[in-house]
């Protein structure tokens, strides 16, 4: 049985003070919800403070990005070793990083290798763009992204995949539960081909893209969907808690 996971990707939102306040607002309610892994992914500069706040609770911390070198002259970058001390998870290959920061499949691959090496759990994001979806190329795109991201990685223990169709991110136009379930099933079959059925059945695959408290049930009812990567709605304490609660009830 896969334990569901709900991660809040706060993206480039919240000052340190706002991040602390947001965490304090949901801390108690989130902590009480069982059978779901709850992960907060605030901006880098708030990780340490939130880490202190959630100490001793069931809430986990994740970063939104990482560099693939461990140290050296890489001004402005954050290394996997720095994060390994602070958090459990790290989002890698988010479509916004691919789009605005030119992250290629090769870079994503190096970041995953670097994260796994220090015991960080990567949340690998993949998903097709609108024009690719409309051209019926979803399978081809996610397959290519999986192949390039996982090149020369023989053991994916600790990995989570988030299927985030780019056209659904921040648009209010979520995929349907059925669409998301279908593509996630396809991703699981690809993983089974690469790593065997056992590994594929153990792997958590999340849906992301305009998930809210209003549509969470639709996704969590789907057998292939193991949770969600939530953007906008994770910035609202009551929405995020509700998404986690619905997940706990349905999974
Ligand atoms: P939204 O939930 O705001 O659409 O963002 C999804 C996302 O990109 C999470 O990583």
């Amino acid at each position: 049985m896969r334990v569901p996971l709900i991660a809040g990707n706060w993206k480039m939102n919240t000052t340190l003070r706002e991040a602390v306040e947001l965490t304090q607002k949901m801390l108690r309610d989130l902590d009480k919800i069982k059978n779901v892994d709850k992960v907060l992914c605030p901006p880098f500069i708030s990780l340490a403070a939130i880490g202190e706040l959630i100490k001793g609770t069931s809430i986990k911390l994740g970063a939104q990005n990482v560099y693939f070198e461990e140290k050296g002259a890489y001004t402005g970058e954050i290394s996997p070793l720095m994060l390994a001390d602070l958090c459990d998870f790290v989002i890698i290959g988010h479509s916004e990083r691919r789009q605005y920061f030119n992250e290629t499949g090769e870079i994503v691959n190096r970041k995953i290798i670097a994260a796994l090496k220090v015991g960080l759990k990567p949340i690998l994001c993949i998903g097709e763009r609108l024009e690719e979806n409309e051209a019926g190329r979803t399978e081809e795109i996610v397959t290519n992204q999986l192949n390039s991201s996982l090149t020369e990685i023989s053991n994916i223990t600790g990995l989570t995949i988030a299927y985030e169709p780019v056209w659904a991110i921040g648009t209010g136009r979520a995929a349907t539960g059925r669409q998301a379930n279908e593509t996630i099933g396809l991703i699981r079959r690809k993983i089974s081909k690469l790593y065997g059925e056992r590994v594929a059945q153990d792997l958590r695959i999340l849906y992301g893209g305009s998930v809210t408290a209003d549509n969470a049930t639709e996704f969590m009812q789907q057998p292939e969907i193991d949770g969600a990567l939530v953007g906008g709605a994770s910035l609202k304490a009551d929405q995020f808690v509700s998404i986690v609660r619905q997940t706990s009830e349905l999974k």
Side-chain angles (χ1 to χ4, degrees), residues 3 15 19 21 35 38 41 57 65 79 101 116 124 129 131 143 160 163 179-180 185 188 205 215 221 232 236 246:
V3 177
T15 62
E21 283 170 6
N35 309 320
K38 300 146 282 191
C41 305
T57 74
N65 184 27
S79 101
F101 304 98
L116 287 172
L124 164 64
R129 292 198 289 254
E131 62 273 22
T143 304
T160 297
Y163 167 58
Q179 272 175 323
R188 202 178 300 287
I205 311 181
N215 64 18
Q221 280 170 338
K236 296 178 190 124
Q246 291 176 57

Side-chain angles (χ1 to χ4, degrees), residues 9 11 91 94 96 125 164 168-171 208-211 229-233:
N9 175 9
K11 307 193 181 182
I91 298 170
H94 193 281
E96 286 149 16
C125 302
E164 299 206 304
I169 295 177
T171 58
S210 297
V211 174
L229 184 54
V230 185

Side-chain angles (χ1 to χ4, degrees), residues 31-52:
D31 188 31
K32 278 190 243 154
I33 305 173
K34 305 274 182 260
N35 309 320
V36 180
D37 281 350
K38 300 146 282 191
V39 183
L40 305 180
C41 305
F44 285 128
I45 62 135
S46 299
L47 284 172
I50 296 181
E52 287 299 316

